[in-house]
Amino acid sequence: MSQKHLKEAFISNLNGTSLLEISIGLSLAPLCLLSRGLLLILYCLHYGKPLSSRTHSLLLDFLVLVSPLLFSCTVLSPVIFFIPIIIAAFCAGMFSKIYSQRKQEPRMAFRQMVKHFQKMPLDPEYIPAITAFRVYINVLTSISILAVDFPQYPRRYAKTETYGTGIMDFGVGAFVFGNGVVCPEVRQKSSVTQPKFSNVAKQFSSIWPLIFLGIGRLLSVKSVDYHEHTSEYGVHWNFFFTLAFVRLAASLLLSVFPKNSSWIVAVNLAVLYQLILNTTSLKMFILHGSNGRDTRVGFLNANREGLLSLFGYLAIYMASVQVGLWLLRRRSSVRGWAEAVRLLLLTVLALFLCLHISQVYVEPVSRRMANLSYCIWVVAHCLMFFICLVVTDLALVFTKLLVRGSSVPCCWDLVQPPSTNKKHELEAVPVGRGGKHMCLISAINKNQLLFFLLANVMTGAVNILIDTIHSKTVFTLCILHLYMFFNCLVMYIMHAKNIVFKFW
């Protein structure tokens, strides 16, 4: 068997992992963010000033925000259920030290501090959890697309063949979800009146880089005879095409239907698509081709998975538009966001109940078809991930109040000091948006498409140069760390020089 066929077999015919393991894995990113924030606050408490070295900031961010994720999806995957407990205990220890050594005088009772904290004002125009969500989905995707070719990456995390829930299956849907949350229709002020199809015209001009990248990937893969998982999208289709057409189709729908009703459009799309799958021969066509023997003759047969799964991804995108509109409602206090977390949690519980019903009585999750269960699963886990990020930000805001002058990049700002006429009031110290210093999250956020493209190019280069399937553990970890550090370093340098790779 050739090297190409070996690698194709290595990533094919897989069945995924449990929903619980994916949930545990998603909790690592918020815990890493919390650890980074507490370390910066502890540094400020000890030295009396925030960390100012750009080199040290980059190394800290990489070692705390990225490296644990690399280890958790490789050598530490057998003990993945214990890793969040260990990181949480580490965070609890740091918070205990910060709380006991705070220099606020006179000290107030913890319950009184919480009461004042709930009234703290936050910047209503900036939601750091959205930035962290989109960046971390990008980072996790970049890690997985290369790590999956190494034996140290568990096969249960890779994309499933037909049915099942793998971490990479979630990553594809989450990428679509993250794009919908910040789409032009969401960011557009409701008071601004524009021509009905103006956003469609904007999308036409903004998706051409995705089309160009999709064509570039297609030509490069075919020219070097690169290994492919054909049942993922098809022979010629790829994720760049999916993202481009979903964005364009969503803009068309949002030009016809009110954007505040996008969740209704999402539900109808997902349910109608599932009904067609169950009542017609469409499901058999997707899985086995028009002749029932997995033919790839003709454009539709060759790319049936990529073309027909667009309906499911479009439903996810429309649902994320509704989520984005709801998140951008003005909430100017900690109490307001605590209430938002409670409502999101109830929504997640309801979605998981729907997911259970859908998997038992309709059909199991299938990323290949992007069916109803897949849509519900992706939206539920995305909301759960966002809840964890919001809670992390609130915890860091509370901790910053204990240490005057502390700064945590990509964390909420306190827009004004609270009233000072109350005895023992906490003192709010405003910090600039995104913190005073360089931040890896901000750097990747500034050039997310370039980061994803660079990761794809580097993945191809590594696979061409290295026999990944037979790599030893130490060598694998070194390659993955060098690969991610290079990607992050490029983004960091571009951020430092204020270079934005967006000219469309």
Side-chain angles (χ1 to χ4, degrees), residues 327-442:
L327 290 176
L328 290 182
R329 292 179 185 175
R330 291 181 66 86
R331 296 178 182 87
S332 56
S333 68
V334 170
R335 190 187 300 276
W337 275 104
E339 178 65 20
V341 166
R342 186 183 70 85
L343 292 175
L344 281 174
L345 189 57
L346 292 175
T347 303
V348 168
L349 293 175
L351 285 172
F352 274 115
L353 177 61
C354 293
L355 176 60
H356 175 74
I357 294 171
S358 179
Q359 291 215 91
V360 172
Y361 297 103
V362 182
E363 188 178 34
V365 171
S366 173
R367 182 264 320 153
R368 186 174 178 180
M369 292 182 282
N371 61 0
L372 176 62
S373 295
Y374 177 77
C375 295
I376 298 173
W377 170 54
V378 168
V379 174
H381 263 101
C382 283
L383 291 180
M384 187 183 70
F385 189 35
F386 187 81
I387 289 172
C388 294
L389 292 170
V390 171
V391 171
T392 297
D393 284 329
L394 292 176
L396 289 175
V397 170
F398 180 80
T399 312
K400 282 197 298 182
L401 294 173
L402 303 176
V403 181
R404 179 168 182 161
S406 59
S407 174
V408 179
C410 288
C411 184
W412 256 308
D413 300 339
L414 299 165
V415 294
Q416 62 182 23
S419 174
T420 55
N421 57 8
K422 292 183 180 180
K423 191 177 181 180
H424 303 331
E425 190 71 77
L426 286 174
E427 183 172 6
V429 183
V431 290
R433 180 173 296 182
K436 298 178 181 179
H437 309 298
M438 292 289 289
C439 170
L440 186 58
I441 299 291
S442 299

Side-chain angles (χ1 to χ4, degrees), residues 261-381:
S261 301
S262 58
W263 71 273
I264 299 176
V265 178
V267 170
N268 279 292
L269 265 173
V271 171
L272 181 60
Y273 176 51
Q274 186 64 56
L275 283 173
I276 296 173
L277 286 173
N278 286 356
T279 58
T280 69
S281 60
L282 184 63
K283 183 189 300 185
M284 295 301 295
F285 172 72
I286 295 175
L287 298 180
H288 305 294
S290 58
N291 67 349
R293 295 192 296 271
D294 200 30
T295 178
R296 293 289 173 179
V297 178
F299 183 78
L300 185 56
N301 267 306
N303 303 285
R304 54 184 185 267
E305 293 91 350
L307 292 170
L308 293 171
S309 64
L310 287 173
F311 294 102
Y313 289 121
L314 181 57
I316 293 172
Y317 190 96
M318 294 298 290
S320 68
V321 169
Q322 188 72 62
V323 172
L325 291 170
W326 185 79
L327 290 176
L328 290 182
R329 292 179 185 175
R330 291 181 66 86
R331 296 178 182 87
S332 56
S333 68
V334 170
R335 190 187 300 276
W337 275 104
E339 178 65 20
V341 166
R342 186 183 70 85
L343 292 175
L344 281 174
L345 189 57
L346 292 175
T347 303
V348 168
L349 293 175
L351 285 172
F352 274 115
L353 177 61
C354 293
L355 176 60
H356 175 74
I357 294 171
S358 179
Q359 291 215 91
V360 172
Y361 297 103
V362 182
E363 188 178 34
V365 171
S366 173
R367 182 264 320 153
R368 186 174 178 180
M369 292 182 282
N371 61 0
L372 176 62
S373 295
Y374 177 77
C375 295
I376 298 173
W377 170 54
V378 168
V379 174
H381 263 101

Side-chain angles (χ1 to χ4, degrees), residues 11-26:
I11 58 175
S12 301
N13 302 313
L14 304 172
N15 298 315
T17 185
S18 66
L19 295 177
L20 178 60
E21 185 168 13
I22 293 174
S23 301
I24 294 296
L26 287 177

